[in-house]
Amino acid sequence: MKEHKTSYPITVEVFEGEILFGVNGQTNTLTRGDIVSLEANVPHNLKANKNSIVRLSLSKKDSINRVKGVLKL
């Protein structure tokens, strides 16, 4: 997916495979079990290196601070 952004916070979780996830000019390789969360309006891109299963969660009522709090448990 070419660079884009959303009006709401997002969370991306990799279930299978390997993806390149770019944010602010930095590209990270994400594999099974990796999770990334972004605030609204942050430009990002994604490219699958292998066949992958990825879940994108977008919530109009969610916040990045809530997601970070859950990940610390």
Side-chain angles (χ1 to χ4, degrees):
M1 298 177 75
K2 65 181 181 178
E3 186 174 82
H4 61 283
K5 58 185 175 179
T6 178
S7 300
Y8 305 100
I10 65 166
T11 300
V12 176
E13 182 175 2
V14 180
F15 286 101
E16 294 292 337
E18 179 181 284
I19 66 170
L20 296 177
F21 193 85
V23 180
N24 295 325
Q26 181 178 346
T27 301
N28 298 289
T29 301
L30 305 179
T31 59
R32 184 179 182 176
D34 288 338
I35 298 173
V36 62
S37 296
L38 299 177
E39 294 283 4
N41 298 310
V42 175
H44 57 281
N45 61 65
L46 180 150
K47 179 181 177 186
N49 282 339
K50 301 177 181 179
N51 286 334
S52 302
I53 299 172
V54 177
R55 176 172 52 193
L56 168 66
S57 299
L58 177 145
S59 176
K60 294 179 180 181
K61 296 183 180 181
D62 209 351
S63 73
I64 195 75
N65 288 330
R66 186 206 61 83
V67 173
K68 286 179 180 177
V70 170
L71 292 175
K72 290 181 182 178
L73 298 178

